[in-house]
Amino acid sequence: METHMPDFALPSSHPTLNGRKTAKSARDSFSAYNSKYLTVPQNRTSWHRSGTNGALEVVSYRSSTINNYVEGTQIRARDKASPSGLYFRDSKRKVDYVLAYHYRKRLARHVPGAASPEPRRGFASVALVSNGSTGKGRAEPQQQQQPDDGQRALQEWPGLPGLEVVEFSPLDTLEEERRLQREEYERNLLEAGLEIEKDPESKSQGVSFVRIHAPWQVLSREAELLKIKMPTKKMYEITEEKGILKTLNEIWCKLTEPLQPQVPQQENTKMKTLSYPFSREKIYLYNIKDKDTFFDNATRSRIVREILKRTFTKARNSMGIGTLIANNVYDAAYPLHDGEYEGQNDDMNERKLLYQEWARYGVFYKFQPIDLIRKYFGEKIGLYFAWLGLYTEFLIPSSVVGIIVFLYGCLTIESDIPSKEMCDQRNAFTMCPLCDKFCDYWNLSSACATARASHLFDNPATVFFSIFMALWATMFLEQWKRLQMRLSYFWDLTGLEEEEEHPRPEYETKLLQKKLKNKNITTESSNENEKEKLTWSDRMPGYAANFGLILFMIMLAFSAVFGVIVYRITTAAALSFSTNETTRSNVRVTVTATAVIINLVVVLILDEIYGAVAKWLTEIEIPKTEKTFEERLILKAFLLKFVNSYASIFYVAFFKGRFVGRPGRYVYVFEGYRMEECAPGGCLMELCIQLSIIMLGKQLIQNNLFEIGIPKLKKLFRKLKDERTEVKEMDTNQSKDPQQWDLDYILEPFTGLTPEYMEMIIQFGFVTLFVASFPLAPVFALLNNIIEVRLDAKKFVTELRRPDTVREKDIGIWYNILSGIGKLSVIINAFVIAVTSDFIPRLMYQYAYSQNGTMHGFINHTLSYFNVSQLKAGTQPENSLFAQEVSFCRFKDYREPPWSPHQYEFSKQYWAVLSARLAFVILFQNLVMFLSVLVDWMIPDIPKDISEQIKKEKTVLVDFFLKEEHEKLKLIESFIAHDKQKRRSGTKSRRTRAASFSQCHRSPKGSFTSFSSQHTVV
């Protein structure tokens, strides 16, 4: 008689603990395991030596756990029957979720002196389909007693056929531990009601997939727990707008009909289905035509994900799939895409439809199919693309106004008097040298081109544009709140409650460590009922590290700006020493252009570093839930990237040229280098150059090239890595064509919407914060976003695994950041107009100092005199080319002349202009804030029609419930009445029979006896 070992890996044989097993734990595990699986015993048993303590362990070869066994050839036949790899092998049960993991089979290493046959490298390879319909058969354990110790077991069964003694290596130990955790986790999934199908492990190492199906009982149970709103049988009419608004809406729909995507629409747009949180007790309320399609794919995967997140394993106290992925027990967990987005087959699915009508650059002119996006990817991603679409639409009017402002500057450049005076060589304004010793005096007319270019952006229209953009930002946010409310109504998100989130794996690990630590030091007096959690003292090291490192990173950004400043100063000085006349004449242009490019490269590099640092800092804080983690990550990343992106722009706008000093008393750095000055036309032109290059560079390189190139490089790297590490073996159990789970596995995992939002928020800052210096910023943002929408769409449809659907009713903390940027933009634009541009000095001159009320003489008014004889020794120009001897040179500032008693001190004009600038900032800020509040007040957050529809929906819901309950009550009453009538008729018949029996009883004895005897005979 051949003795068989139990054909499953004993969960108690934890290789990293003690290498022992008990008979009781083995029997319990065997019973629990076989209660869910039909097993086919194997006759191959091996003994393994633990690499940790040398104990021998009994571990069987992989069991064949099935309920419909299929050979390799049958698997291929089933694959053909499984449409697009979206179903189990039976082609009936849909794959709702997939778990992927790497496996590595043990290589036999014999213990010296142990008699064993030739080692067997492979495992039994079978398919596994669990918790299905044919789970009646059950194999009984054929060995009732398990050894307490490996050595004792070896002595008890010395003659077991096929006995093999193998030593565990540390890598095998880790792999065995992971396998045990997977088996326990999958058993727990089965107990939760899910059905799973598993691939055979036919190679020595490779990737295997666990496919999960949720039956109706699980879907209905979880939908009730999650309070998922589902459509009922009731439909009600949507009240349409009337009057001129209805007419305008119809005209707009006709005009934009060619721009609408060709996706299935609701047949009757005037009717809306009433939705209500799912309840099994009220299942008669819902419009259930087919239980297999009542819950769509996104809802099914969301339900399975919730089960995966709360299912635990006892090993390491792992709570949920997130912990198992973090511990490399599983590699990935993801729902499947709805088939291929390209292909020769004519089967249309939602993914292919999204690709054709949304995720191609050829349909850039079409509106986005927001409802289909929401249906396929969930509400959270749907809200992001809705927000991005509205933002892009709002950039159209701002771009038009920006182009008009720019054209106004172009048209009025010839009539600008200060530019003419600066370009007129007859004025002969001799300016002081730009550097010591090597720089000569120069004529102001040589800066004519810079002055004319500055007028394109420094003109009265830019003030109007700044006010317009402040109101534009307010209107955009108000319109988004209205659209968000409209989407919430149509997507049944109104009244959405906050769902209780599961703790993150890192939080659970930290909490477990704290529990184990406290377990050793707690006393009996401690309160055991108190729920343990991480306190501020547990997080204090993380908070301290956050504060210190964030401060360091901000200082690093400022240091990078200072480094670029030093480069500008030293390069300008070096180029001034050149003997080439062309080089000396183009010093300012060369230095500005190269410095901005260097600054752009630094910004791009620091952006990537700051993203990684922000994530690490958030992780060491140990937030409890994913939502808290995401919010803290967003705040840190935004703070760091905001400082990085705008530090150099703030410097040019508000600090450059403010601390230069004056001739004879310049401010020096590094013992001989003068602080850099603004161009003769002012710093606004340099601010425009700085802003435009950084904005366009970030959009072109970071937002487009990085988004396209990095995912492709990651995909190529992962493919090469898999090809290098995976042993080339023939897999007879795998179908020729890759299944959908294989195709989705090689895609990039979805890591969240934070990078997508972040790049748009930074762009929103470029559009609003310094728009007074660069009116064309909205134009370039619009062009970028037209590409960005399709780029993100293509990435989500073709390059990323399908994300888990998440129900959100708003965009969360991003709205607060947008609102903060909008308010900050008012203050910054006020200071840009007042301090950086010449708008206030021109107004002051025209209305306070001009003799005829014109701008004639403005340039002379802004230039002060300096006596060149007062220059410090060694700073005078050498080999001056000026023919006449220069007695006085001019410099741009409001200071007293040399012949004044208070020479070179700030003049009265300086203080008057400074007062006017501060007054303008206060007036501008309060005016724009007042207009913003007025716009906010005039535009209600909730559209009037949506507010009425929400009230109507509540009324319809109450009436529908009352009607259904009334019909249910009538049905019950009819059943009761029918039952009473049936009982009454039954009672009447019994009375008739009793009366006849009574008459028979009162008859003579002989008659009764005769009746009884006849009955007995019968």
Side-chain angles (χ1 to χ4, degrees):
M1 178 178 178
E2 187 177 2
T3 305
H4 295 279
M5 293 297 295
D7 54 340
F8 65 96
L10 298 177
S12 58
S13 62
H14 202 295
T16 61
L17 296 179
N18 54 14
R20 298 177 179 269
K21 304 182 182 71
T22 62
K24 183 179 182 301
S25 62
R27 286 195 298 271
D28 293 343
S29 301
F30 187 88
S31 177
Y33 201 69
N34 274 345
S35 65
K36 290 294 181 182
Y37 295 96
L38 172 64
T39 61
V40 180
Q42 302 283 325
N43 61 353
R44 188 72 173 166
T45 307
S46 66
W47 294 79
H48 299 271
R49 184 181 297 276
S50 172
T52 56
N53 56 11
L56 289 175
E57 301 184 5
V58 181
V59 180
S60 69
Y61 282 110
R62 213 57 184 277
S63 65
S64 309
T65 311
I66 56 172
N67 71 356
N68 48 348
Y69 175 74
V70 285
E71 294 284 358
T73 54
Q74 292 171 318
I75 290 175
R76 288 192 292 272
R78 293 293 180 92
D79 283 337
K80 295 178 181 178
S82 177
S84 304
L86 300 175
Y87 291 83
F88 276 15
R89 305 292 185 187
D90 56 12
S91 301
K92 295 178 181 178
R93 287 175 287 177
K94 186 179 294 184
V95 177
D96 297 318
Y97 222 86
V98 173
L99 306 179
Y101 64 90
H102 271 90
Y103 66 88
R104 174 183 173 276
K105 294 184 179 180
R106 294 183 295 276
L107 297 178
R109 292 193 298 169
H110 302 283
V111 178
S116 63
E118 285 297 318
R120 179 171 160 183
R121 298 173 63 94
F123 283 74
S125 118
V126 295
L128 177 149
V129 183
S130 305
N131 217 16
S133 57
T134 60
K136 297 178 181 179
R138 188 178 299 173
E140 296 296 332
Q142 298 184 19
Q143 182 65 44
Q144 297 297 331
Q145 295 182 352
Q146 299 295 334
D148 292 333
D149 185 85
Q151 297 289 348
R152 177 183 166 190
L154 185 59
Q155 295 172 2
E156 288 183 2
W157 292 314
L160 280 178
L163 182 65
E164 184 178 344
V165 181
V166 180
E167 184 181 359
F168 262 171
S169 68
L171 193 61
D172 290 337
T173 301
L174 182 61
E175 180 63 29
E176 183 70 12
E177 180 183 351
R178 291 173 180 170
R179 184 179 67 82
L180 294 175
Q181 288 189 58
R182 284 196 294 267
E183 289 180 353
E184 182 187 358
Y185 186 70
E186 289 160 18
R187 286 199 301 271
N188 293 337
L189 292 179
L190 294 173
E191 291 175 2
L194 297 177
E195 300 174 7
I196 65 175
E197 180 182 71
K198 201 169 183 179
D199 278 341
E201 298 178 1
S202 55
K203 298 180 180 180
S204 62
Q205 62 178 353
V207 180
S208 187
F209 298 95
V210 179
R211 296 173 288 280
I212 302 174
H213 169 77
W216 168 259
Q217 293 80 2
V218 175
L219 293 172
S220 57
R221 180 192 71 208
E222 296 297 324
E224 184 173 357
L225 290 175
L226 297 173
K227 298 180 181 179
I228 298 176
K229 285 188 175 183
M230 299 304 296
T232 62
K233 299 175 183 177
K234 178 67 176 177
M235 296 186 71
Y236 64 96
E237 187 177 1
I238 300 175
T239 306
E240 292 185 339
E241 296 175 340
K242 298 180 180 179
I244 189 171
L245 291 177
K246 181 180 180 181
T247 306
L248 291 174
N249 188 40
E250 291 176 352
I251 294 173
W252 174 253
C253 290
K254 288 181 180 179
L255 291 175
T256 58
E257 189 173 354
L259 307 179
Q260 297 295 336
Q262 302 299 316
V263 297
Q265 300 288 342
Q266 187 178 344
E267 295 180 359
N268 191 353
T269 56
K270 297 180 180 179
M271 303 294 292
K272 184 180 184 296
T273 303
L274 185 67
S275 297
Y276 185 74
F278 189 81
S279 173
R280 287 174 291 180
E281 294 180 355
K282 298 181 176 62
I283 200 167
Y284 55 88
L285 299 176
Y286 303 96
N287 187 21
I288 303 177
K289 297 179 181 178
D290 185 0
K291 289 184 177 181
D292 292 335
T293 58
F294 179 64
F295 295 102
D296 59 14
N297 293 346
T299 306
R300 295 174 71 98
S301 63
R302 177 190 169 203
I303 289 173
V304 175
R305 179 72 180 188
E306 287 297 320
I307 298 175
L308 294 176
K309 285 163 69 175
R310 69 168 184 257
T311 302
F312 68 94
T313 58
K314 292 180 181 179
R316 293 191 178 183
N317 290 325
S318 299
M319 182 66 184
I321 188 64
T323 310
L324 294 175
I325 292 177
N327 294 334
N328 296 318
V329 177
Y330 289 99
D331 287 344
Y334 52 91
L336 292 180
H337 278 293
D338 288 356
E340 297 186 35
Y341 62 92
E342 285 182 316
Q344 300 177 354
N345 56 340
D346 297 331
D347 297 335
M348 181 59 69
N349 56 63
E350 291 181 350
R351 187 187 187 193
K352 183 180 289 188
L353 190 61
L354 283 171
Y355 177 75
Q356 293 179 355
E357 296 295 327
W358 178 54
R360 293 187 300 114
Y361 296 111
V363 292
F364 72 93
Y365 59 92
K366 289 188 177 182
F367 292 117
Q368 297 185 89
I370 293 297
D371 290 327
L372 185 59
I373 297 170
R374 169 251 176 179
K375 181 183 178 184
Y376 192 80
F377 292 111
E379 284 77 9
K380 188 173 184 178
I381 295 176
L383 284 173
Y384 163 71
F385 281 104
W387 174 85
L388 181 58
L390 181 68
Y391 172 49
T392 306
E393 290 174 11
F394 258 72
L395 284 173
I396 296 175
S398 62
S399 300
V400 172
V401 177
I403 291 173
I404 292 173
V405 169
F406 179 74
L407 292 177
Y408 171 82
C410 295
L411 294 175
T412 58
I413 192 170
E414 297 298 334
S415 59
D416 182 50
I417 296 175
S419 299
K420 286 183 177 180
E421 289 185 348
M422 190 177 291
C423 295
D424 191 357
Q425 297 183 359
R426 293 173 297 178
N427 290 327
F429 294 112
T430 303
M431 306 299 293
C432 296
L434 296 174
C435 65
D436 295 342
K437 196 174 181 178
F438 295 99
C439 295
D440 198 1
Y441 303 104
W442 56 285
N443 286 322
L444 185 61
S445 58
S446 63
C448 175
T450 306
R452 291 171 66 87
S454 297
H455 179 73
L456 298 176
F457 306 101
D458 189 3
N459 56 68
T462 57
V463 180
F464 159 76
F465 190 56
S466 300
I467 298 174
F468 170 81
M469 287 304 294
L471 299 179
W472 172 88
T474 304
M475 292 186 66
F476 164 65
L477 294 177
E478 289 301 312
Q479 187 62 29
W480 167 245
K481 285 194 287 188
R482 291 169 62 85
L483 176 60
Q484 188 173 255
M485 199 64 211
R486 188 177 295 276
L487 293 176
S488 297
Y489 166 69
F490 284 105
W491 292 354
D492 298 318
L493 298 175
T494 53
L496 181 66
E497 299 178 0
E498 290 286 338
E499 297 178 4
E500 184 179 357
E501 288 193 75
H502 301 285
R504 299 176 63 248
E506 294 80 1
Y507 179 87
E508 289 181 332
T509 305
K510 187 72 174 179
L511 188 60
L512 178 61
Q513 292 173 358
K514 181 181 178 182
K515 287 180 179 178
L516 294 175
K517 182 180 179 181
N518 292 345
K519 190 176 181 181
N520 298 327
I521 61 175
T522 49
T523 61
E524 295 180 358
S525 60
S526 61
N527 186 8
E528 295 181 358
N529 295 326
E530 185 179 354
K531 189 175 181 181
E532 200 151 8
K533 61 181 180 180
L534 297 183
T535 59
W536 65 270
S537 59
D538 299 317
R539 293 190 172 98
M540 183 54 67
Y543 291 152
N546 269 261
F547 177 78
L549 202 53
I550 287 176
L551 194 61
F552 172 76
M553 287 295 167
I554 292 175
M555 295 305 297
L556 180 63
F558 290 153
S559 301
V561 174
F562 183 72
V564 175
I565 294 171
V566 172
Y567 165 80
R568 294 164 67 109
I569 294 172
T570 54
T571 306
L575 292 178
S576 301
F577 301 157
S578 175
T579 56
N580 191 330
E581 180 65 27
T582 306
T583 303
R584 288 202 306 270
S585 61
N586 295 316
V587 167
R588 193 179 297 276
V589 176
T590 305
V591 170
T592 301
T594 55
V596 171
I597 294 173
I598 293 172
N599 196 65
L600 172 62
V601 174
V602 172
V603 166
L604 293 177
I605 294 173
L606 287 182
D607 250 4
E608 300 301 318
I609 296 174
Y610 284 170
V613 169
K615 186 176 181 181
W616 180 75
L617 288 175
T618 310
E619 287 175 348
I620 64 176
E621 276 189 30
I622 322 172
K624 184 176 181 180
T625 62
E626 285 294 340
K627 185 173 183 181
T628 309
F629 177 87
E630 186 179 20
E631 289 180 351
R632 294 184 183 182
L633 174 62
I634 289 169
L635 286 175
K636 291 181 184 64
F638 174 73
L639 174 63
L640 294 175
K641 293 191 176 186
F642 182 87
V643 172
N644 181 44
S645 298
Y646 298 110
S648 60
I649 299 173
F650 270 93
Y651 163 74
V652 174
F654 303 122
F655 297 101
K656 185 178 180 181
R658 311 294 169 193
F659 311 102
V660 177
R662 62 171 179 81
R665 193 179 290 177
Y666 284 112
V667 177
Y668 291 89
V669 292
F670 301 116
E671 300 180 359
Y673 293 101
R674 275 164 47 178
M675 288 292 292
E676 57 178 345
E677 304 178 42
C678 290
C683 278
L684 196 69
M685 189 62 199
E686 289 189 44
L687 177 62
C688 174
I689 295 172
Q690 186 91 5
L691 181 68
S692 60
I693 290 181
I694 291 179
M695 178 182 176
L696 296 177
K698 278 179 67 68
Q699 290 185 166
L700 179 64
I701 299 173
Q702 193 175 45
N703 298 0
N704 293 324
L705 293 182
F706 282 10
E707 279 196 45
I708 296 173
I710 289 180
K712 292 186 181 299
L713 290 176
K714 285 183 178 179
K715 184 177 179 181
L716 179 62
F717 176 75
R718 191 167 59 250
K719 184 179 179 182
L720 293 175
K721 183 180 177 182
D722 290 341
E723 289 178 354
R724 191 185 307 115
T725 57
E726 189 171 331
V727 181
K728 300 292 182 181
E729 300 178 28
M730 290 297 294
D731 190 355
T732 56
N733 291 327
Q734 201 168 27
S735 59
K736 185 178 180 181
D737 296 329
Q739 297 295 308
Q740 190 62 46
W741 47 84
D742 298 307
L743 299 173
D744 287 3
Y745 178 72
I746 63 175
L747 299 177
E748 277 292 305
F750 175 69
T751 55
L753 288 170
T754 300
E756 317 301 332
Y757 272 114
M758 188 65 70
E759 63 186 57
M760 289 295 105
I761 296 295
I762 296 296
Q763 185 202 82
F764 183 79
F766 283 122
V767 169
T768 55
L769 291 179
F770 295 94
V771 73
S773 63
F774 189 40
L776 294 179
V779 179
F780 291 108
L782 175 63
L783 296 176
N784 173 80
N785 286 9
I786 291 174
I787 301 173
E788 180 71 22
V789 171
R790 307 302 161 178
L791 181 63
D792 284 348
K794 188 174 182 180
K795 182 170 68 174
F796 273 85
V797 173
T798 66
E799 296 176 3
L800 294 180
R801 294 174 191 159
R802 188 171 183 173
D804 295 303
T805 57
V806 180
R807 289 177 71 84
E808 293 284 354
K809 57 184 178 181
D810 53 37
I811 60 175
I813 197 173
W814 294 111
Y815 179 84
N816 300 329
I817 294 176
L818 286 168
S819 180
I821 291 176
K823 291 178 174 59
L824 183 63
S825 68
V826 177
I827 302 172
I828 290 178
N829 281 303
F831 276 98
V832 168
I833 295 171
V835 177
T836 311
S837 74
D838 283 339
F839 178 72
I840 299 301
R842 291 186 183 192
L843 283 181
M844 285 294 296
Y845 176 79
Q846 186 174 0
Y847 294 105
Y849 299 108
S850 177
Q851 297 179 356
N852 52 9
T854 64
M855 293 300 296
H856 290 286
F858 172 73
I859 297 297
N860 185 55
H861 176 75
T862 59
L863 297 177
S864 299
Y865 287 90
F866 181 76
N867 190 344
V868 297
S869 63
Q870 297 177 353
L871 287 172
K872 291 182 179 180
T875 62
Q876 298 91 344
E878 294 182 351
N879 304 321
S880 176
L881 299 177
F882 274 69
Q884 73 278 15
E885 186 178 348
V886 178
S887 301
F888 296 96
C889 64
R890 311 293 295 271
F891 64 99
K892 189 173 183 180
D893 206 347
Y894 291 102
R895 291 184 180 268
E896 296 290 346
W899 51 84
S900 172
H902 307 285
Q903 61 178 357
Y904 306 132
E905 292 184 2
F906 288 117
S907 63
K908 294 180 180 179
Q909 289 89 341
Y910 172 83
W911 298 110
V913 171
L914 180 62
S915 302
R917 282 173 166 166
L918 295 177
F920 174 82
V921 169
I922 296 172
L923 179 64
F924 182 90
Q925 179 181 340
N926 286 279
L927 174 64
V928 175
M929 288 293 186
F930 170 74
L931 293 176
S932 300
V933 171
L934 183 64
V935 170
D936 189 2
W937 175 75
M938 291 176 63
I939 302 176
D941 293 346
I942 304 177
K944 186 178 180 181
D945 59 326
I946 296 299
S947 179
E948 293 176 354
Q949 293 298 335
I950 292 173
K951 295 177 182 177
K952 181 179 178 181
E953 187 176 57
K954 292 180 180 178
T955 306
V956 171
L957 184 62
V958 172
D959 294 341
F960 177 59
F961 267 114
L962 291 176
K963 183 180 178 181
E964 289 293 333
E965 291 296 329
H966 182 65
E967 291 181 357
K968 183 180 177 182
L969 187 61
K970 284 174 63 177
L971 186 63
I972 293 173
E973 288 176 350
S974 65
F975 274 120
I976 293 174
H978 181 70
D979 188 54
K980 284 183 178 179
Q981 185 178 2
K982 189 175 180 181
R983 288 181 180 178
R984 197 176 294 116
S985 61
T987 304
K988 188 175 181 181
S989 62
R990 284 197 299 271
R991 286 177 180 173
T992 305
R993 288 196 299 271
S996 61
F997 180 79
S998 177
Q999 289 177 3
C1000 181
H1001 184 69
R1002 286 193 297 270
S1003 63
K1005 264 185 181 181
S1007 301
F1008 184 79
T1009 305
S1010 173
F1011 175 80
S1012 298
S1013 63
Q1014 290 175 7
H1015 180 74
T1016 303
V1017 171
V1018 172

